[in-house]
Amino acid sequence: METKVLEPNAAGLGEAGEIIRRGGLVAFPTETVYGLGANALSAEAVAKIYEAKGRPRFDPIIVHVSSPREAEGLWSQVPPLARKLMERFWPGPLTLVLPKKGIVPDIVTAGLPTVAIRMPDHPVALGLIRAAGVPVAAPSANRFGRPSPTHHQHVLEELAGRIDAVLACGDTPVGIESTVLSLVENPPRVLRLGGTPLEALRELVGELKVEPFVGRSASPGTLRRHYVPSTPLFLLEPGRPEPTWNPMPRSRCGLLAFRSPKLGFGRVEVLSPEGDLRQAAARFFSLLRLLDSLGFSALVAEPVPEEGLGLAIMDRLKRAAVGRARLDTDEVWLIRD
Ligand code: TXA
Ligand code: MG
């Protein structure tokens, strides 16, 4: 695809908003760094972010809003402290983490029950969110493992040909990412140090916990806050079961299949009948959560091809799995690793 370079005027913002609404990707400036934006309410659109960045795993993504009120529509609980923080620090480089509402797709939060939201302090970012008419999910607009871009030229070097458009605004004023503060713990915990200084937060919040220093380039995957199913999950591998494995009737297991169902399972959910990895990624977290809620003794996940978004799906499955499974005619053989 050709990446359009849009001027940050009314026409450019209108076109960018339209692209987001239609499920495309637009890179845009914020006061911290450039973000790679997609409609936060569409799992398919958010899946494209992972594809464009070449992220080999799912990490939770910050949702950008144009007012505190819009944030309150996405969180299921808003304590008074959150309101005070929004009043004092928004718009600005402070991201707040609180429990999410059901309308926020699981792929945005990598399966977490919480969603991180901020209101950026940049007229073009706010103009884009308003033009789109939806909240905008956006990680930093770099390829996986590369530094965050602070100029639209960096964005083009990283992502030209992989995204629909970039709003060209030159340098971003703050240059380091937002501070991420979780309000689901008491005292609140800083998950990432960033553009809002700790001292300023302490003045309003009082006692704060600070995650062991993570700095600006830390891997979010190290935060260990990813969704792990409560039903033991086994990764399906080919081959005949050996005698040391434990048999379990298929009916007591739920299967997360890639393209096609298998017989005998208590429940089967198929990620993508067409074998489309983007669709599979978009559906992955919600189907896993659904299977996890049904009270099975074990969940079995079929591997997906380890290419494109399949790498991120497999990374997630491997980290969530407690062992391996093989299939017999009407039994599943389970071994814990
Ligand atoms: O300044 C910024 O925050 C930039 C601009 C574009 O807004 N965005 C950014 O996004 O740096 P990203 O994806 O590179 O980093 C998001 C951080 C990660 O450390 C991630 O783990 C954390 O936010 N995060 C997102 N959602 C979370 C959640 N529900 N719970 C805990 N941490 C979360
Ligand atoms: Mg980043």
Side-chain angles (χ1 to χ4, degrees):
M1 80 176 61
E2 198 204 324
T3 299
K4 282 192 183 169
V5 179
L6 299 174
E7 293 297 318
N9 53 26
L13 287 171
E15 189 168 350
E18 180 64 29
I19 294 171
I20 297 278
R21 248 198 324 281
R22 284 204 315 255
L25 300 183
V26 178
F28 63 97
T30 75
E31 79 281 32
T32 59
V33 301
Y34 276 74
L36 177 56
N39 178 354
L41 303 181
S42 159
E44 295 259 347
V46 173
K48 291 182 190 166
I49 291 177
Y50 287 97
E51 241 173 358
K53 286 189 59 131
R55 268 201 194 182
R57 57 157 191 264
F58 296 112
D59 294 311
I61 296 176
I62 296 172
V63 175
H64 298 72
V65 295
S66 60
S67 68
R69 201 191 154 124
E70 201 179 347
E72 296 205 19
L74 302 172
W75 283 322
S76 62
Q77 290 161 34
V78 186
L81 178 60
R83 296 213 168 89
K84 280 193 215 154
L85 285 161
M86 290 191 279
E87 208 169 290
R88 169 84 70 90
F89 292 105
W90 283 13
L94 178 66
T95 297
L96 299 174
V97 176
L98 280 167
K100 79 180 187 76
K101 281 193 181 157
I103 53 164
V104 179
D106 288 319
I107 191 170
V108 171
T109 67
L112 292 173
T114 56
V115 61
I117 305 184
R118 81 182 193 95
M119 176 181 175
D121 187 14
H122 195 294
V124 174
L126 295 173
L128 171 67
I129 300 162
R130 288 181 184 131
V134 290
V136 174
S140 48
N142 47 280
R143 296 286 287 267
F144 176 76
R146 308 252 311 132
S148 297
T150 54
H151 191 285
H152 63 268
Q153 278 305 339
H154 306 166
V155 176
L156 287 168
E157 282 159 24
E158 303 266 324
L159 297 170
R162 303 172 72 90
I163 62 177
D164 296 287
V166 57
L167 281 159
C169 269
D171 287 315
T172 58
V174 175
I176 61 166
E177 298 91 336
S178 61
T179 301
V180 180
L181 179 67
S182 169
L183 298 178
V184 295
E185 294 174 55
N186 198 1
R189 183 190 290 268
V190 175
L191 300 177
R192 180 177 72 184
L193 301 169
T196 299
L198 277 182
E199 297 75 10
L201 284 179
R202 282 213 174 93
E203 244 172 59
L204 193 138
V205 177
E207 195 190 344
L208 270 183
K209 279 192 268 179
V210 181
E211 193 88 355
F213 185 78
V214 286
R216 54 176 296 197
S217 63
S219 146
T222 60
L223 289 180
R224 303 181 310 276
R225 287 196 163 69
H226 293 278
Y227 178 70
V228 175
S230 46
T231 317
L233 174 84
F234 295 82
L235 197 52
L236 190 63
E237 55 179 37
R240 293 208 125 274
E242 290 134 39
T244 51
W245 295 39
N246 305 316
M248 168 86 74
R250 282 196 188 195
S251 59
R252 285 179 47 202
C253 301
L255 174 70
L256 184 64
F258 176 42
R259 300 190 62 158
S260 47
K262 297 186 190 305
L263 294 178
F265 281 88
R267 171 92 170 228
V268 180
E269 291 297 333
V270 176
L271 286 169
S272 171
E274 296 87 44
D276 174 1
L277 288 167
R278 182 189 297 169
Q279 183 184 42
R283 291 157 54 84
F284 174 69
F285 284 107
S286 23
L287 293 183
L288 187 58
R289 189 182 284 269
L290 169 70
L291 287 170
D292 193 23
S293 71
L294 299 176
F296 288 117
S297 303
L299 300 182
V300 177
E302 193 175 28
V304 304
E306 295 199 56
E307 63 197 33
L309 286 179
L311 280 172
I313 297 174
M314 283 306 288
D315 168 77
R316 201 68 199 75
L317 281 176
K318 286 176 187 165
R319 287 198 287 158
V322 300
R324 291 164 286 146
R326 288 186 188 166
L327 295 187
D328 216 338
T329 18
D330 44 29
E331 282 171 334
V332 183
W333 293 73
L334 302 174
I335 186 168
R336 281 180 183 267
D337 282 335

